[in-house]
Amino acid sequence: KVMHESKLMAEMKNDLTTAIKAHVEWKSSLEEVFVNNDDQISVEMDGHKCGFGKWFYGGGLEELNKLSPDAAALLKDVEKIHLDLHSTAKRISSYWRAKHTGLAEKLESIFTRHKDWALNLSEDLLSYS
């Protein structure tokens, strides 16, 4: 029985890791919309249908609760944050218009100026005696 539960826990950990990885990729896809100035946001807007949502609402949370009620309770606390994240993407999508010609170059310019400022500040602080 212990071996069986250990195997189930390992499978559950793998499934959850895959679901979390899918959300990291989701977040990166959303960020790329801004950098690439894409015409539209194409990430999953429904928190029940993304990789994590499919796992969470598709029985994953229930299975985890059987193996580790404490871990399941922690994940249950994440549910509202998860759904809010998808809701935010939906709101962004309703306002997004790909009219930001040169957005990537502008962001790079701002980042470069900020990096130079931070470098100069660090050099000034280090040279101050």
Side-chain angles (χ1 to χ4, degrees), residues 25-58:
E25 292 169 358
W26 179 94
K27 180 183 122 345
S28 294
S29 293
L30 183 58
E31 291 169 349
E32 286 175 8
V33 168
F34 296 95
V35 174
N36 297 334
N37 197 28
D38 293 338
D39 289 334
Q40 64 183 10
I41 296 174
S42 59
V43 297
E44 179 58 60
M45 303 292 175
D46 186 339
H48 293 82
K49 294 179 181 175
C50 69
F52 179 77
K54 287 178 183 176
W55 177 86
F56 191 88
Y57 297 106

Side-chain angles (χ1 to χ4, degrees), residues 59-128:
L61 184 65
E62 292 172 20
E63 290 299 314
L64 180 60
N65 192 46
K66 293 175 189 173
L67 296 170
S68 175
D70 290 339
L74 287 172
L75 272 184
K76 184 68 177 160
D77 288 342
V78 173
E79 181 179 20
K80 181 178 180 338
I81 296 166
H82 172 253
L83 293 174
D84 285 348
L85 181 70
H86 283 275
S87 177
T88 299
K90 189 180 282 188
R91 283 194 309 272
I92 291 169
S93 182
S94 71
Y95 291 105
W96 176 253
R97 302 292 176 267
K99 60 183 175 187
H100 310 287
T101 306
L103 179 62
E105 293 81 9
K106 180 71 172 172
L107 291 174
E108 184 177 350
S109 171
I110 291 169
F111 175 73
T112 300
R113 286 195 320 260
H114 181 73
K115 185 178 69 169
D116 291 344
W117 172 83
L119 181 62
N120 289 333
L121 178 62
S122 297
E123 289 173 352
D124 288 346
L125 290 174
L126 290 173
S127 66
Y128 184 76

